[in-house]
Amino acid sequence: MVNGVMHAGTVSLTAIAEAVGTPSYVYSAPDIATQFQQLTTDLKGLNHRICYAVKANSNLSVLRSIAELGASFDIVSGGELQRVVSSGADPRSVVFSGVGKTTEEIDFALKLEVGCFNVESTSELTRLGVRAALFDRVAPVAVRVNPDVDAETHPYISTGLKENKFGVPSTDALALYMTAQTHPNLRVSGVACHIGSQILSIEPFSDALDGLLRLVDELDAKGIGVAHVDVGGGLGVAYQDETALDTAAYGAMLRSKMAGRSQTIVIEPGRYLVANAGLLLTRVEYLKPAKAPGCKSFAVVDAAMNDLLRPSLYQAWHAVERVIEASNDAAACVWDIVGPVCESGDFIAHERTLSLAEGDLLAIRSAGAYGMVQSSNYNSRGRAAEVLVDDEGFRVVRSRENINDQMDLEQIGLRP
Ligand code: LLP
């Protein structure tokens, strides 16, 4: 707050709302850099590479600023690979994760010589071998192992349990490595896992790494050496009053387990770098105060579940704050902050005590990760604008979608 007005860096959010309108995502490049530097400090002394998980926030400008910090990328689709390349980054240290890579995506990644294919099934390995042979390439591979550890996170974002669709059971991994080792167009590069997202304690990471290192040793015994150990992403952040993952302890755990080993650690953080570096700026359209005891009071804002799906999908909690300090806090009431979409599940936040008037600007915090990327055109709503703030000011890094942008690919398709 500067003189009662919330700022992103040196820029007031009121100035951004005036220039760009609402709803708008606002990201802070310096805040992303601070997170990156913190992680780099916490991993000091560890031979490592940070591959930012593009899925968390794939805006080209965000990717560019992360590449400039020295990170590489973790991708899960041809679209994300194209974004990495279009942002000006080098695809050759990218890791390509994902349980359903299409032939087209594999071909594209082979052509661009991505750094590693994290293979998730026997069929995928077979397909990769065939395509690499066709193009006379040698594809670097890691098998993504499912270590069957409980990440103790929301079931939708837990990925490392045996009932999840991801990865290969540790017991089957060896056979895949044997195939890869003998295939002329495949080259064993690493081992990989990713156990889930928004993980707040070290233990699941530590258990998963133990599993990976057992595999490294088994491979070693068979004469198969690996150059890197990819421990995935999942580093949890604070949204409300939870304690974020202790990244210093995380770094210490990795250092101690990797002591005496030659492999590079690859980590794939998404949320950690961007979640708290972004917010969603929205305006109160209408207030519908409760008319009778037991009724709810609704503040209808111009952002909705199509803009920020996390509350509706995962019951996720995001702080909602006034952009301009209230002149009279005593007038605060309890509001449900809801959007205009025609679903009762369309809400941003439940039961927040705020002093509100129609027209007020609100900031929905911690929206830099899995916000814009999960947006949709539901109710034919255009996607929000995106703004990046840096030391020099702010710039629009994605224009607000208009209805023509939405209809451009459609035809009525009348027969002649
Ligand atoms: N690597 C792989 C293979 C992943 O699947 C993911 C996330 C990451 C890295 C990055 O995880 P992070 O560091 O961001 O936790 N939409 C959900 C999160 C889904 C995460 C999916 N995979 C949410 O809004 O919470």
Side-chain angles (χ1 to χ4, degrees), residues 34 37 47 50 60 62 81 84 89 92 145 180 188 218 233 247 258 269 272 292-293 320 326 357 384 415:
T34 302
Q37 274 134 19
N47 176 10
I50 297 174
L60 293 176
V62 169
L81 180 52
V84 166
R92 284 173 305 181
V145 174
V188 172
E218 271 179 72
T247 46
M258 294 307 290
Y272 176 84
V320 180
R415 295 201 171 74

Side-chain angles (χ1 to χ4, degrees), residues 53 55-56 74 97 144 157 194 196-198 232-235 268-272 310 314 370 374:
K55 64 169 76 68
D74 162 57
S97 303
R144 174 168 170 187
I157 54 176
H194 170 77
S197 199
Q198 184 56 8
L235 289 68
E268 305 170 358
R271 191 189 313 268
Y272 176 84
R310 302 193 72 255
Y314 316 110
Y370 305 108
Q374 296 196 130

Side-chain angles (χ1 to χ4, degrees), residues 92-340:
R92 284 173 305 181
S93 40
V94 160
V95 295
F96 191 179
S97 303
V99 71
K101 303 177 191 75
T102 65
T103 302
E104 214 181 1
E105 289 173 326
I106 289 174
D107 291 356
F108 183 40
L110 282 169
K111 200 170 102 197
L112 292 182
E113 299 179 22
V114 302
C116 189
F117 290 81
N118 284 358
V119 169
E120 301 213 21
S121 64
T122 310
S123 302
E124 184 191 332
L125 190 73
T126 307
R127 188 186 290 188
L128 180 60
V130 169
R131 302 311 292 180
L134 192 69
F135 300 116
D136 200 19
R137 298 274 159 123
V138 178
V141 297
V143 175
R144 174 168 170 187
V145 174
N146 184 330
D148 195 23
V149 300
D150 187 356
E152 289 159 18
T153 185
H154 191 285
Y156 286 8
I157 54 176
S158 171
T159 52
L161 284 168
K162 63 175 182 292
E163 61 256 37
N164 297 130
K165 69 180 175 185
F166 299 100
V168 174
S170 320
T171 41
D172 300 353
L174 203 55
L176 269 77
Y177 277 105
M178 301 298 268
T179 308
Q181 176 77 351
T182 50
H183 195 297
N185 299 93
L186 299 174
R187 175 173 60 79
V188 172
S189 172
V191 294
C193 77
H194 170 77
I195 54 173
S197 199
Q198 184 56 8
I199 301 170
L200 297 168
S201 65
I202 303 292
E203 209 185 351
F205 290 113
S206 157
D207 291 349
L209 181 54
D210 284 341
L212 282 185
L213 294 179
R214 272 195 300 276
L215 177 61
V216 169
D217 293 340
E218 271 179 72
L219 291 172
D220 208 36
K222 301 258 184 248
I224 304 174
V226 299
H228 74 264
V229 174
D230 180 344
V231 292
L235 289 68
V237 304
Y239 283 90
Q240 190 174 4
D241 46 14
E242 66 275 61
T243 309
L245 179 79
D246 179 348
T247 46
Y250 177 75
M253 181 276 289
L254 293 176
R255 261 192 306 273
S256 88
K257 290 197 192 292
M258 294 307 290
R261 294 185 181 264
S262 61
Q263 289 84 13
T264 302
I265 282 280
V266 172
I267 91 166
E268 305 170 358
R271 191 189 313 268
Y272 176 84
L273 292 182
V274 290
N276 283 318
L279 56 86
L280 177 57
L281 193 55
T282 184
R283 199 179 281 281
V284 178
E285 291 280 357
Y286 301 106
L287 293 180
K288 298 176 69 178
K291 283 282 182 303
C295 291
K296 287 197 152 213
S297 295
F298 295 101
V300 185
V301 298
D302 62 8
M305 67 188 288
N306 76 295
D307 299 300
L308 181 65
L309 184 59
R310 302 193 72 255
S312 303
L313 191 59
Y314 316 110
Q315 300 74 49
W317 193 97
H318 287 258
V320 180
E321 291 169 20
R322 296 177 50 92
V323 165
I324 300 178
E325 255 166 16
S327 51
N328 179 10
D329 266 336
C333 307
V334 178
W335 299 99
D336 273 14
I337 316 290
V338 301

